[in-house]
Coordinates of all heavy atoms in Angstrom, one line a residue:
Q55 N -3.2 -6.8 -94.5 CA -2.0 -6.7 -95.2 C -1.9 -5.3 -95.9 O -2.5 -5.1 -96.9 CB -2.0 -7.8 -96.3 CG -2.2 -9.2 -95.8 CD -1.2 -9.7 -94.8 OE1 0.0 -9.6 -95.2 NE2 -1.5 -10.1 -93.6
L56 N -1.2 -4.4 -95.2 CA -1.3 -3.0 -95.6 C 0.0 -2.5 -96.3 O 0.3 -1.3 -96.3 CB -1.6 -2.1 -94.4 CG -3.0 -2.4 -93.9 CD1 -3.3 -1.5 -92.7 CD2 -4.1 -2.1 -95.0
L57 N 0.8 -3.4 -96.9 CA 1.9 -2.9 -97.7 C 1.4 -2.4 -99.0 O 0.4 -3.0 -99.5 CB 2.9 -4.1 -97.9 CG 3.7 -4.6 -96.7 CD1 4.5 -5.8 -97.1 CD2 4.5 -3.5 -96.1
P58 N 2.0 -1.4 -99.6 CA 1.5 -0.9 -100.9 C 1.4 -2.0 -101.9 O 0.5 -2.0 -102.7 CB 2.5 0.2 -101.2 CG 3.0 0.7 -99.9 CD 3.0 -0.5 -99.0
S59 N 2.4 -2.9 -101.9 CA 2.4 -4.0 -102.9 C 1.3 -5.0 -102.6 O 1.0 -5.8 -103.5 CB 3.7 -4.7 -102.9 OG 4.0 -5.2 -101.6
S60 N 0.7 -5.0 -101.4 CA -0.4 -6.0 -101.1 C -1.7 -5.5 -101.6 O -2.6 -6.3 -101.8 CB -0.5 -6.2 -99.6 OG 0.7 -6.7 -99.1
G61 N -1.8 -4.2 -101.9 CA -3.1 -3.7 -102.4 C -3.4 -4.1 -103.8 O -2.4 -4.3 -104.6
E62 N -4.6 -4.2 -104.1 CA -5.0 -4.6 -105.5 C -5.9 -3.5 -106.1 O -6.9 -3.1 -105.4 CB -5.8 -5.9 -105.4 CG -6.4 -6.3 -106.7 CD -7.4 -7.5 -106.6 OE1 -7.8 -7.8 -105.4 OE2 -7.7 -8.1 -107.6
Q63 N -5.6 -3.0 -107.2 CA -6.4 -2.0 -107.9 C -7.6 -2.7 -108.5 O -7.5 -3.8 -109.0 CB -5.6 -1.4 -109.1 CG -6.2 -0.2 -109.7 CD -6.1 1.0 -108.8 OE1 -5.1 1.2 -108.0 NE2 -7.1 1.9 -108.8
V64 N -8.8 -2.1 -108.3 CA -10.0 -2.7 -108.8 C -10.6 -1.8 -110.0 O -10.3 -0.6 -110.0 CB -11.1 -2.9 -107.7 CG1 -10.6 -3.8 -106.6 CG2 -11.5 -1.6 -107.1
S65 N -11.3 -2.5 -110.8 CA -11.9 -1.8 -112.0 C -13.1 -0.9 -111.5 O -13.6 -1.0 -110.4 CB -12.4 -2.8 -113.0 OG -13.5 -3.5 -112.5
D66 N -13.5 0.0 -112.4 CA -14.6 0.9 -112.0 C -15.9 0.1 -111.8 O -16.7 0.4 -110.9 CB -14.9 1.9 -113.2 CG -13.8 3.0 -113.2 OD1 -13.1 3.2 -112.2 OD2 -13.6 3.5 -114.3
A67 N -16.1 -1.0 -112.5 CA -17.3 -1.8 -112.3 C -17.2 -2.5 -111.0 O -18.2 -2.6 -110.3 CB -17.4 -2.8 -113.5
E68 N -16.1 -3.1 -110.7 CA -15.9 -3.7 -109.4 C -16.0 -2.7 -108.2 O -16.5 -3.0 -107.2 CB -14.6 -4.5 -109.3 CG -14.5 -5.4 -108.1 CD -13.2 -6.2 -108.1 OE1 -12.4 -6.1 -109.0 OE2 -13.1 -7.1 -107.2
H69 N -15.5 -1.5 -108.4 CA -15.6 -0.5 -107.4 C -17.1 -0.2 -107.0 O -17.4 -0.1 -105.9 CB -15.0 0.8 -108.0 CG -15.3 2.0 -107.1 ND1 -14.7 2.2 -105.9 CD2 -16.1 3.1 -107.4 CE1 -15.1 3.4 -105.4 NE2 -15.9 3.9 -106.3
E70 N -18.0 -0.2 -108.0 CA -19.4 0.0 -107.8 C -20.0 -1.1 -106.9 O -20.8 -0.9 -106.0 CB -20.2 0.2 -109.1 CG -19.8 1.5 -109.9 CD -20.1 2.7 -109.1 OE1 -21.1 2.8 -108.4 OE2 -19.3 3.7 -109.2
E71 N -19.6 -2.3 -107.2 CA -20.0 -3.5 -106.4 C -19.5 -3.4 -105.0 O -20.2 -3.7 -104.0 CB -19.6 -4.8 -107.1 CG -20.4 -5.1 -108.4 CD -21.9 -5.2 -108.1 OE1 -22.3 -5.8 -107.2 OE2 -22.6 -4.5 -108.9

Side-chain angles (χ1 to χ4, degrees):
Q55 307 297 306
L56 294 178
L57 293 173
S59 61
S60 298
E62 173 189 18
Q63 191 73 33
V64 300
S65 67
D66 288 336
E68 189 175 4
H69 169 73
E70 293 301 321
E71 289 300 314

